[in-house]
Amino acid sequence: METNCQWFAMRATYKRELVAQEYFQGKGIEVFVPLKTEIKVIRGIKRKVTVPAINSLIFVHAVKDELQRTKYGVDYLQYVTKKQDGKNVPIIVPDKQMEDFIRVVQDDNVDKTFHSPQEVDIAVGTRVKVHGGSFDGLEGVLVKVKGKRKKQFFIDLQGVVTVNTVIENLDLLEVVE
């Protein structure tokens, strides 16, 4: 029986990301839903509201057996999978990548954009690590995006989602082999 917690990428269909978050938290399981703040007009009044940044996507930190038991019978929860040896297997995000992703998503002092894997070709970039500043210790890929003046820093989560932001001081970057 496995005892190591891992980050599983999951879908909470039908805009139930926050319902899923409450469900897992109620079961004592760590969950992360990337959120963003938007201005919405509600009954004619502009208000800031917090909404999921990526439709349907949540990340659950659990032991696979426990997660399997917890999600059993909850029809709106599904694993995000990838093909491996002809089978669909759940995507597991390494702890360090997940920590870096959470850190960028939760930093309200920087502009960030979320991309699907089809929108960004990460493979052509250079892998870098940030030394200093608000992203000290983060690892990601530095790329030049067509039409943008500044270089972008991307954190890719196993082909599930990519978040990017601008790194102002390129002197803080070290190339990672």
Side-chain angles (χ1 to χ4, degrees):
M1 182 156 156
E2 195 175 333
T3 58
N4 290 345
C5 282
Q6 298 173 303
W7 282 103
F8 292 88
M10 298 190 78
R11 297 251 179 248
T13 58
Y14 309 111
K15 298 188 182 244
R16 294 185 182 158
E17 303 92 340
L18 300 178
V19 172
Q21 180 179 32
E22 285 181 28
Y23 174 74
F24 283 118
Q25 287 172 340
K27 301 282 186 185
I29 296 175
E30 185 179 5
V31 60
F32 179 71
V33 177
L35 300 172
K36 65 181 178 180
T37 302
E38 289 183 347
I39 304 292
K40 291 203 176 204
V41 178
I42 302 171
R43 294 186 199 104
I45 300 170
K46 286 185 181 180
R47 298 176 193 239
K48 278 188 177 181
V49 293
T50 303
V51 297
I54 307 158
N55 288 338
S56 303
L57 188 62
I58 66 170
F59 297 93
V60 181
H61 195 227
V63 176
K64 187 173 182 182
D65 293 342
E66 176 188 19
L67 179 55
Q68 196 63 29
R69 282 191 305 275
T70 303
K71 80 172 214 64
Y72 181 78
V74 182
D75 61 344
Y76 62 88
L77 290 174
Q78 304 164 355
Y79 290 108
V80 176
T81 61
K82 64 181 176 185
K83 284 277 190 200
Q84 186 174 319
D85 299 326
K87 296 179 184 176
N88 287 329
V89 296
I91 291 179
I92 297 169
V93 180
D95 288 346
K96 173 71 170 124
Q97 277 187 342
M98 197 64 206
E99 289 166 15
D100 290 355
F101 179 74
I102 290 170
R103 198 160 144 201
V104 170
V105 169
Q106 290 181 335
D107 190 335
D108 292 331
N109 297 320
V110 296
D111 290 330
K112 53 197 149 280
T113 308
F114 296 89
H115 303 276
S116 70
Q118 298 78 24
E119 293 177 291
V120 179
D121 185 4
I122 296 293
V124 300
T126 303
R127 187 138 193 86
V128 295
K129 183 172 185 174
V130 181
H131 294 286
S134 61
F135 294 136
D136 186 44
L138 295 186
E139 289 185 21
V141 178
L142 188 68
V143 298
K144 178 74 173 98
V145 177
K146 190 174 183 176
K148 301 279 186 182
R149 288 186 169 186
K150 297 186 177 181
K151 291 193 175 159
Q152 306 282 305
F153 178 73
F154 286 81
I155 295 177
D156 179 51
L157 292 187
Q158 305 295 309
V160 176
V161 66
T162 302
V163 62
N164 79 295
T165 188
V166 173
I167 296 290
E168 295 291 338
N169 186 354
L170 297 180
D171 294 335
L172 299 176
L173 301 179
E174 168 196 1
V175 174
V176 177
E177 298 300 324

